[in-house]
């Protein structure tokens, strides 16, 4: 299946309350029955220097996939990653992983 048209990637820096609620809602759809991140947890990533993330959204600004990372010295680890169930198997998470890998190297991760 091809990537959705008009897919864009957005940083989690300077999230609005509305963005944080939308990401929490996406996280809930990704991990039904598991520990779900609250809007406040996404907002805390927004203001953090060690944790950072990106998400994919469609042309209507609906989040489709997300990834949150944490820098730990010369390493970087994934804290959470998820894709909306209706948009899985399209390569969106693969694009997010490629993007964060490049960004992690730019931030000094080996």
């Amino acid at each position: 299946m091809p990537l959705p048209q008009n897919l864009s990637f957005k940083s989690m820096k300077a999230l609005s309350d509305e963005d944080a609620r939308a990401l929490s809602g996406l996280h809930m759809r990704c991990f039904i029955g598991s520990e779900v991140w609250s809007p406040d947890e996404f907002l805390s990533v927004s203001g953090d220097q060690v944790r950072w993330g990106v998400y994919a959204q469609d042309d209507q600004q609906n989040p489709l996939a997300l990834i949150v990372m944490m820098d730990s010295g010369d390493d970087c680890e994934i804290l959470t990653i998820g894709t909306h169930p209706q948009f899985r198997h399209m390569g969106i998470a693969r694009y997010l992983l490629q993007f964060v890998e490049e960004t992690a190297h730019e931030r000094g991760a080996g």
Side-chain angles (χ1 to χ4, degrees), residues 17-84:
D17 289 342
E18 183 178 336
D19 292 335
R21 283 191 301 274
L23 291 174
S24 180
L26 170 61
H27 205 255
M28 186 179 347
R29 286 182 204 85
C30 293
F31 300 102
I32 296 170
S34 298
E35 186 176 323
V36 175
W37 286 31
S38 70
D40 286 340
E41 288 172 294
F42 282 104
L43 286 172
S44 73
V45 169
S46 176
D48 198 329
Q49 296 300 313
V50 175
R51 294 177 300 156
W52 54 279
V54 293
Y55 61 99
Q57 63 183 13
D58 62 15
D59 57 351
Q60 311 241 324
Q61 298 184 335
N62 298 309
L64 306 179
L66 60 84
I67 187 167
V68 176
M69 307 294 294
M70 184 172 74
D71 289 335
S72 54
D74 60 353
D75 277 335
C76 202
E77 68 180 89
I78 297 171
L79 296 179
T80 190
I81 183 172
T83 303
H84 190 290

Side-chain angles (χ1 to χ4, degrees), residues 6-26:
N6 301 319
L7 185 70
S8 63
F9 298 97
K10 190 170 178 183
S11 169
M12 289 189 190
K13 291 296 176 201
L15 286 178
S16 69
D17 289 342
E18 183 178 336
D19 292 335
R21 283 191 301 274
L23 291 174
S24 180
L26 170 61

